[in-house]
Amino acid sequence: MSELFDAVDALLASRAALPPPAERRRLRAAHGLTIDEVATALRVRRATVSGWESGKTEPRPPERDAYARLLEKLAELYPAPADAAVPVQAAVVPAAFTGRAAPAETQALSTGPVSEAAVMTAPENTQTPAPAPVAAVPVAASRPASTIRGASTSRRPGARKAAPAGTSAGGTDPRFENGPLAVVDVAEEGKVVAYCTGGLVLDVPAKSMASLVDWTLREAKLGQPKLSGPGRPADPLLVLTEAACERYGLPVSLTEEERIAGRIPEGHKVIKQLTRADWKLTQRGFGPWARIYRPATGSERACVQLCIPSWNALDPRFWGDAAQLPAAELARVLGVYASRVMTPRGSTAVTSLELMTALHPPTHAVRDEETGVLRQAETKTPGSLGKDSVDCAPCEAPDGHPVLNALDLPRFHVRGPGEKLFEEAYDWARPMTDAECTLRYLVGLDVNMAFAAGANGLTVGLGEPTHVNNPVFDLKLPGSWLVDLSHVDLSKVKVGKEWVELDGSLLPSPFTSKGDRPTGPAWYATPTVAYAAELGYDVAPTEGYVRYDNGRYLDGWYQRLRDAYLATMADLGVDADLSPEGFLTAMDGYKERDPELTIAVTAIKATVKGGIGKLRERPRGEGWRPGERWRALERPTWRPDIRAAVISRTRINLHRKIVKHAAFTGQYPIAILSDCVVYAASGPSPLDFLPYRDGKPLPGGFKLGINPGLVKHEGTQSVLWGEEVRERFNAPELNLARSIKDGTVTDVDNGE
């Protein structure tokens, strides 16, 4: 009889009711789970779960019952919003079941129940998650034709271009129907107005800074939905023009003393005014990126972010001339960035870290089994870095880090590769050969968003390091390894499954940023050691610091920035599906087609590099002395090991392409600077030396295109130019990659 019951149970399980694919994605993301974690728990492939969430395939017994149970429990923790009823999908397996993997999954976006915010901490102690973007991004410059009075929220009519996949929130939250931000300015007639995204303009009745903050929270309807389930909606951002600063009693520019301090004095009349109205400032005070808030009460947050361009909030290195744009144009630029990346929270580097945290919030809400009330979970959200910072391994620590105090190193001791992890980007060059000097041109290739591509799919540590002696190298285990790679000979390496012979003297070593061959044991990140094994050589670490708690923490961050970059470049006329010739043509002069969108592209790329650099932020004044802790060390996102792994992977990715190109063509680079590589060629175009056949590139080599990891034309100069500048500076190994774009060379390039 029990066998019959088991058969009946199995029959019922085969038809277990499941929510539709979009709801499956929402529930997984709401709990901070990755596709890999779900696949591991259900003992299926990652592509299988991706197929279930895309609707391409349906789960079958016995996994279907377990998957249904998982979704049912998640639905209890994260019920769908009341205004978005979730239908249950009929339990029918598609007739045309193929079992193929679905395309790369897009991060599910959900507003989630408001009550979850009640378990989050006060704004000064947390990082605000990134908002989900609005449904469409305006791509044509537009000045508002009319002003909408008071709290009116109707939008300016007009056609819009739909946002590309991955940039739509899938719906508009009525709380934020006027967009993520507004640029506050004073109109010609003396009225204060707020320029929002999409061409909307609001009258601002506020007469003081305190009332401006209050109006923003009560009437402006600014902000964005949260990017991941356990997170919070983004706070509204107000950008104050110079005229608005004057109107609200703020200085138009900071004095030298205020600029160094990064804020106006605590006794300023505006700060006193805010204090009298019970508003508070975060610890960084009233500076270029000020945050004004009141402590949260229940599920209600009261926080407004300010951006003051005239105080250098929009650094021209990353935002171009955005600070000089008229208010409406500035609202457009920042709106595109906010919609596709997140509402800016500071510099592009700060915003990058905020995006990482927003996609993997350290805390999440759980429902108390006894009371049914939501509370903050005692454990960190799966896949996140948690709320607390962790110390790095001694080899990963920069000089002056307090973890080095225990080593009792001699004063002024300089740590070498055997004591310190040196994973940096390439800065390498060599003299040209006689054969290369007979060619006419030097052509530079630049890898698109190289560090973002290096982060894609990379497994990094999520917790503390564990010290091990004489470990067996595991390429799936993130960490730092002390290993001797001096025996790796680039004259004979494995490319795929075959051994090939190369001219090793014309290649940089993949193990050092300067391209020098190692002379003994040194510390390396996992991708570097794995590449040595890939080239066909044995690796035997003698020591290691590994992280058993790990995951693909940066995947969502990469996908968000990739989609933002591709969408904005597509708006500039550079699509991902162009032919090599079409791509080169489209890239020629793309910056002039829409200068405002070009600013957004620059900011997106700066967000990638800035975030990676910020993972190992050094002391910034603060009266710091070597051996003492500095403020950045208290962040969970202060992770030099993650930075090292990304840079290592990026450098290795480039070297792998160089080796495959050399093995197939016999051509070798003459200079590399970070993500730019220079070759001597007979013609001025990359197509004059890249081995395309019938429009198809060399597999694993350089491929022209706009996607991260593909390459674009960086610039072309003559071989005579290269020889002349090297002779002028008496530097046969002057790095020409630094100047290949425009040919400008300075003494700084030679280290003088």
Side-chain angles (χ1 to χ4, degrees):
M1 183 64 69
S2 62
E3 294 180 358
L4 292 176
F5 285 147
D6 290 342
V8 170
D9 290 341
L11 189 61
L12 292 174
S14 69
R15 296 296 185 269
L18 297 173
E23 178 65 2
R24 301 172 196 174
R25 293 195 299 271
R26 185 191 75 82
L27 291 172
R28 173 181 58 76
H31 200 60
L33 298 175
T34 65
I35 288 183
D36 289 314
E37 289 171 329
V38 174
T40 300
L42 298 179
R43 300 178 182 177
V44 297
R45 296 184 302 114
R46 184 185 192 277
T48 301
V49 178
S50 182
W52 297 345
E53 291 192 355
S54 67
K56 291 293 185 74
T57 62
E58 284 295 308
R60 296 190 289 186
E63 293 84 7
R64 186 183 182 94
D65 188 37
Y67 188 47
R69 180 177 176 81
L70 170 65
L71 296 175
E72 179 183 1
K73 295 298 183 183
L74 291 177
E76 293 176 2
L77 292 174
Y78 311 103
D83 58 349
V86 179
V88 175
Q89 180 166 304
V92 178
V93 178
F97 179 82
T98 63
R100 291 180 298 176
E105 59 105 12
T106 301
Q107 176 70 45
L109 303 176
S110 167
T111 57
V114 176
S115 58
E116 288 183 26
V119 301
M120 299 301 172
T121 54
E124 68 269 31
N125 297 324
T126 61
Q127 293 172 310
T128 302
V134 293
V137 177
V139 296
S142 59
R143 279 191 174 275
S146 62
T147 297
I148 302 174
R149 305 293 179 183
S152 175
T153 57
S154 59
R155 289 191 176 274
R156 179 175 181 262
R160 294 188 186 182
K161 182 176 180 180
T167 66
S168 173
T172 302
D173 191 318
R175 295 173 297 170
F176 316 125
E177 65 179 63
N178 290 338
L181 56 88
V183 180
V184 181
D185 195 15
V186 179
E188 293 180 359
E189 58 272 22
K191 295 184 299 185
V192 180
V193 293
Y195 293 88
C196 305
T197 57
L200 173 70
V201 183
L202 299 176
D203 273 344
V204 180
K207 304 298 183 183
S208 66
M209 181 59 65
S211 60
L212 176 63
V213 174
D214 187 70
W215 172 83
T216 302
L217 295 172
R218 292 179 181 274
E219 300 182 49
K221 295 187 177 181
L222 297 174
Q224 282 186 315
K226 55 189 175 182
L227 187 57
S228 66
R232 292 195 311 260
D235 298 318
L237 172 65
L238 293 182
V239 184
L240 304 182
T241 65
E242 293 184 7
C245 287
E246 289 182 326
R247 175 61 63 90
Y248 290 110
L250 293 170
V252 171
S253 60
L254 299 178
T255 65
E256 182 65 16
E257 183 179 355
E258 292 169 343
R259 187 190 63 79
I260 294 174
R263 65 183 74 188
I264 58 178
E266 295 296 325
H268 193 280
K269 62 180 182 180
V270 171
I271 297 180
K272 291 181 178 180
Q273 174 197 115
L274 292 169
T275 302
R276 287 195 300 268
D278 295 327
W279 291 108
K280 298 179 180 295
L281 293 166
T282 57
Q283 291 182 356
R284 61 185 176 187
F286 205 123
W289 290 93
R291 300 192 69 215
I292 304 172
Y293 74 98
R294 284 180 180 140
T297 56
S299 62
E300 296 297 323
R301 282 176 53 81
C303 185
V304 173
Q305 175 91 49
L306 296 184
C307 167
I308 306 179
S310 62
W311 294 7
N312 201 37
L314 301 176
D315 192 319
R317 293 175 297 172
F318 315 125
W319 287 100
D321 61 353
Q324 281 71 51
L325 291 175
E329 280 76 2
L330 180 57
R332 179 187 178 230
V333 170
L334 294 176
V336 169
Y337 182 89
S339 300
R340 292 173 172 172
V341 180
M342 68 178 292
T343 303
R345 288 286 309 278
S347 68
T348 50
V350 168
T351 302
S352 187
L353 291 189
E354 294 285 349
L355 179 60
M356 294 179 193
T357 304
L359 294 164
H360 293 285
T363 61
H364 61 280
V366 295
R367 196 173 299 279
D368 192 290
E369 296 181 359
E370 296 182 358
T371 64
V373 177
L374 286 174
R375 59 176 175 79
Q376 185 171 306
E378 297 179 359
T379 58
K380 72 174 185 177
T381 303
S384 77
L385 298 179
K387 296 185 298 181
D388 302 319
S389 62
V390 298
D391 280 338
C392 60
C395 63
E396 299 163 349
D399 295 338
H401 192 287
V403 77
L404 300 176
N405 295 343
L407 302 183
D408 196 24
L409 297 173
R411 192 179 184 187
F412 305 120
H413 174 73
V414 178
R415 293 183 293 160
E419 301 169 287
K420 181 180 178 181
L421 182 67
F422 288 92
E423 291 286 10
E424 301 296 340
Y426 268 129
D427 185 354
W428 169 87
R430 63 169 176 82
M432 283 186 276
T433 65
D434 292 342
E436 289 167 340
C437 288
T438 64
L439 300 175
R440 294 186 60 187
Y441 297 100
L442 298 175
V443 183
L445 301 175
D446 182 74
V447 181
N448 294 316
M449 296 184 72
F451 294 102
N456 181 31
L458 178 65
T459 301
V460 299
L462 301 178
E464 297 180 349
T466 300
H467 182 250
V468 290
N469 287 313
N470 298 315
V472 176
F473 176 68
D474 183 352
L475 59 82
K476 296 182 179 179
L477 193 59
S480 301
W481 312 80
L482 182 61
V483 57
D484 189 349
L485 300 180
S486 60
H487 63 291
V488 177
D489 184 3
L490 295 181
S491 299
K492 186 176 182 182
V493 298
K494 263 190 174 182
V495 178
K497 296 182 179 180
E498 298 182 359
W499 286 91
V500 297
E501 294 186 358
L502 303 171
D503 189 340
S505 65
L506 302 180
L507 286 171
S509 168
F511 310 128
T512 64
S513 62
K514 293 296 184 181
D516 301 326
R517 185 169 179 170
T519 57
W523 286 98
Y524 302 102
T526 296
T528 302
V529 185
Y531 186 57
E534 178 185 327
L535 292 176
Y537 291 87
D538 295 331
V539 293
T542 58
E543 192 177 351
Y545 286 92
V546 298
R547 289 169 170 83
Y548 296 107
D549 178 13
N550 56 66
R552 291 166 58 163
Y553 176 72
L554 296 174
D555 274 10
W557 175 84
Y558 159 77
Q559 291 161 7
R560 183 79 173 174
L561 291 167
R562 173 203 62 194
D563 292 347
Y565 176 68
L566 293 180
T568 312
M569 289 300 295
D571 290 341
L572 287 166
V574 185
D575 295 313
D577 56 355
L578 293 171
S579 67
E581 295 82 2
F583 170 71
L584 292 175
T585 301
M587 286 294 293
D588 187 18
Y590 79 92
K591 294 182 178 180
E592 285 72 41
R593 291 176 199 145
D594 191 327
E596 293 169 17
L597 284 184
T598 300
I599 293 174
V601 169
T602 302
I604 291 168
K605 294 193 291 186
T607 304
V608 174
K609 289 189 176 181
I612 299 303
K614 198 81 170 174
L615 291 169
R616 199 189 66 169
E617 183 180 1
R618 301 304 308 275
R620 305 176 66 182
E622 308 170 9
W624 175 81
R625 294 182 178 181
E628 298 176 345
R629 295 187 70 84
W630 60 91
R631 185 164 47 186
L633 298 186
E634 308 310 320
R635 294 195 321 250
T637 49
W638 194 87
R639 292 296 301 271
D641 56 299
I642 296 180
R643 173 189 178 274
V646 173
I647 293 177
S648 165
R649 182 106 174 287
T650 303
R651 192 182 66 247
I652 293 307
N653 285 347
L654 180 58
H655 196 275
R656 185 182 291 112
K657 295 178 187 296
I658 289 170
V659 166
K660 290 191 176 182
H661 184 85
F664 188 81
T665 67
Q667 298 169 339
Y668 296 84
I670 65 167
I672 309 173
L673 182 68
S674 187
D675 49 7
C676 176
V677 56
V678 176
Y679 282 89
S682 58
S685 169
L687 292 175
D688 290 320
F689 72 96
L690 292 182
Y692 274 85
R693 289 186 176 179
D694 299 324
K696 296 182 179 180
L698 172 67
F702 295 105
K703 178 181 179 181
L704 291 167
I706 198 59
N707 280 292
L710 305 189
V711 298
K712 63 179 182 290
H713 183 205
E714 178 69 1
T716 295
Q717 304 295 331
S718 69
V719 168
L720 290 177
W721 165 85
E723 288 295 276
E724 188 273 330
V725 296
R726 284 181 165 179
E727 182 178 347
R728 188 199 324 162
F729 292 104
N730 192 27
E733 297 182 3
L734 178 72
N735 195 331
L736 299 175
R738 182 174 282 107
S739 310
I740 194 69
K741 189 169 187 175
D742 58 11
T744 302
V745 185
T746 65
D747 290 350
V748 176
D749 296 331
N750 196 27
E752 297 180 3

